[in-house]
Amino acid sequence: MRLLVIGGTAFLGRHTVEEALRRGYQVTTFNRGLSGPDRPDVQAIHGDRSKPADLDQLAPGTWDAVVDTCGFVPAVVGESARLLKDRAGWYGYVSSLSAHPAWPAAPVTPSSPIHESPPDAGPDDGDYGTLKAGCERAVEQSFADRALLVRAGLLLGPYENVGRLPWWLRRVAAGGQVLAPGDPNVPMQLIDARDLANWMLDSAEAGQTGPFAATGPAGNTTMGRWLGDCVEATGSGAELVWVPDEFLLEHDVETWSELPLWMPTGPDTAGTWTVDVSRAQAAGLRSRPVRDTVRDTWAWLRDGGTLAPPRDGSPFTMGIDPDKEKRVLAEWASAKPVA
Ligand SMILES: NC(=O)c1ccc[n+]([C@@H]2O[C@H](COP(=O)([O-])OP(=O)(O)OC[C@H]3O[C@@H](n4cnc5c(N)ncnc54)[C@H](OP(=O)(O)O)[C@@H]3O)[C@@H](O)[C@H]2O)c1
């Protein structure tokens, strides 16, 4: 298998490259050379996919399969798909559940509508999810029934470059009372990037195509269980102090970012963790236990792993300010009903 990975040096793409090499593929990567070092055993081509002259470096090549992990602008993704149309047999595009306008308010399936964005939309023609939908159309224009459209859910694991699980692990490892958000029993739905990478390569080998909702099984953990996994993995003895959603919202704690993955259940979020993944499971997607993901991510951090920089060069914004966390915990201690 000759595989081209557009991206390949940060998180999901990096796992895809590692797994492809483990399987004995010949791997080419195309990226700007900013996010991480090239592996010596790949053919590394450096360039910015949004610059036609850079992309033209791919013109002499041919590949059995392409995995595109860094497509965010339809017009740009369209350029690569057109260039590769007759040079590659199959195109796996990493989209997102955000391509569905209904998500996260409602549960979605791979047949749920995606945003209206056209295949030639530019960077300012919509938000992240809208543009992901346009990118899917841009790939389909050139690859039609040779395209796998991977609508990924929340990705965790070693190399995570968003900083969600790394923030929690470091916070829990620091010990003491940890502000734990909401209801510990709320079911969640997470996927390890290594499982997604494996499945994309299985799909490339099988020539599997079409749209898939690609995340873990609904309820594969809960907030309580995976934060407990963080305590166990780090061995810190941290005490999780569970504070209800309403109290946190009243105290201006930001959902999703200040306490990563915290999404209070409400009309706008009811489908966050209830995506129908039956099509992907029937097509071979398998998920390891979230506990293993947490353990391996901590092992990576403990051994000196560092996060690849955010792709737009902005600073990391995950996690609550320590003073604010202390203040909210103190206010909760004096406000909570006596048991
Ligand atoms: N994280 C989540 O929870 C989540 C959820 C749903 C979907 N997704 C999707 O999953 C994908 C995750 O990707 P990843 O970051 O893990 O992949 P990755 O392939 O490991 O890293 C991104 C790669 O893209 C390259 N890149 C960025 N801009 C580029 C450009 N203009 N031209 C060429 N290469 C460029 C980066 O290298 P250089 O910087 O060196 O160019 C890097 O190699 C994204 O498409 C994201 O939308 C993520």
Side-chain angles (χ1 to χ4, degrees):
M1 176 77 90
R2 289 161 304 144
L3 176 74
L4 168 65
V5 179
I6 306 182
T9 50
F11 177 34
L12 176 61
R14 186 168 162 191
H15 285 299
T16 306
V17 168
E18 287 184 1
E19 175 61 18
L21 291 169
R22 202 188 59 74
R23 294 181 186 204
Y25 296 3
Q26 286 174 37
V27 179
T28 305
T29 54
F30 178 81
N31 56 62
R32 296 165 303 175
L34 303 176
S35 291
D38 300 317
R39 290 190 50 129
D41 37 5
V42 305
Q43 179 199 16
I45 302 176
H46 284 171
D48 184 334
R49 66 180 302 168
S50 66
K51 296 182 178 156
D54 287 5
L55 200 60
D56 262 351
Q57 296 176 86
L58 298 177
T62 57
W63 293 273
D64 298 305
V66 179
V67 171
D68 182 348
T69 57
C70 64
F72 301 98
V73 180
V76 173
V77 170
E79 290 291 336
S80 60
R82 272 188 294 281
L83 180 90
L84 294 166
K85 180 179 174 183
D86 299 321
R87 296 182 172 89
W90 178 97
Y91 199 110
Y93 170 68
V94 180
S95 183
S96 164
L97 291 173
S98 301
H100 295 291
W103 191 82
V108 292
T109 76
S111 309
S112 302
I114 59 169
H115 283 284
E116 290 295 335
S117 169
D120 58 352
D124 301 325
D125 292 337
D127 61 13
Y128 168 78
T130 304
L131 295 179
K132 281 289 201 189
C135 292
E136 290 188 20
R137 293 191 181 94
V139 171
E140 280 184 304
Q141 266 193 338
S142 294
F143 278 80
D145 58 359
R146 296 182 292 141
L148 181 81
L149 304 172
V150 182
R151 296 181 188 142
L154 197 110
L155 300 171
L156 297 179
Y159 311 153
E160 192 212 306
N161 56 348
V162 185
R164 295 174 175 129
L165 180 52
W167 182 82
W168 275 113
L169 282 164
R170 286 173 176 151
R171 172 63 197 90
V172 167
Q177 289 200 324
V178 174
L179 179 54
D183 178 354
N185 298 313
V186 169
M188 297 172 79
Q189 188 174 26
L190 311 173
I191 186 162
D192 191 303
R194 294 169 294 181
D195 293 331
L196 190 57
N198 288 344
W199 180 69
M200 289 195 295
L201 296 183
D202 291 346
S203 297
E205 289 177 16
Q208 187 154 262
T209 57
F212 289 87
T215 186
N220 64 350
T221 191
T222 62
M223 199 76 188
R225 226 185 306 147
W226 81 270
L227 281 184
D229 295 340
C230 290
V231 176
E232 181 188 276
T234 57
S236 73
E239 179 197 351
L240 301 175
V241 180
W242 293 95
V243 179
D245 292 336
E246 305 70 40
F247 189 89
L248 296 175
L249 293 169
E250 279 161 18
H251 288 77
D252 297 324
V253 179
E254 288 282 331
T255 62
W256 204 245
S257 56
E258 277 193 311
L259 297 173
L261 303 195
W262 170 49
M263 185 57 90
T265 310
D268 296 340
T269 58
T272 309
W273 309 120
T274 52
V275 176
D276 178 356
V277 289
S278 52
R279 186 186 292 175
Q281 286 177 331
L285 178 62
R286 297 286 172 266
S287 281
R288 73 195 68 203
V290 173
R291 186 168 177 239
D292 294 0
T293 304
V294 171
R295 180 199 60 210
D296 295 349
T297 306
W298 177 242
W300 164 66
L301 289 171
R302 197 195 45 213
D303 294 347
T306 54
L307 279 61
R311 79 188 143 87
D312 59 1
S314 58
F316 285 105
T317 51
M318 285 292 150
I320 191 167
D321 174 76
D323 291 337
K324 181 171 177 182
E325 184 193 20
K326 278 197 192 78
R327 181 165 46 78
V328 175
L329 281 170
E331 287 171 13
W332 172 244
S334 55
K336 74 178 168 194
V338 179

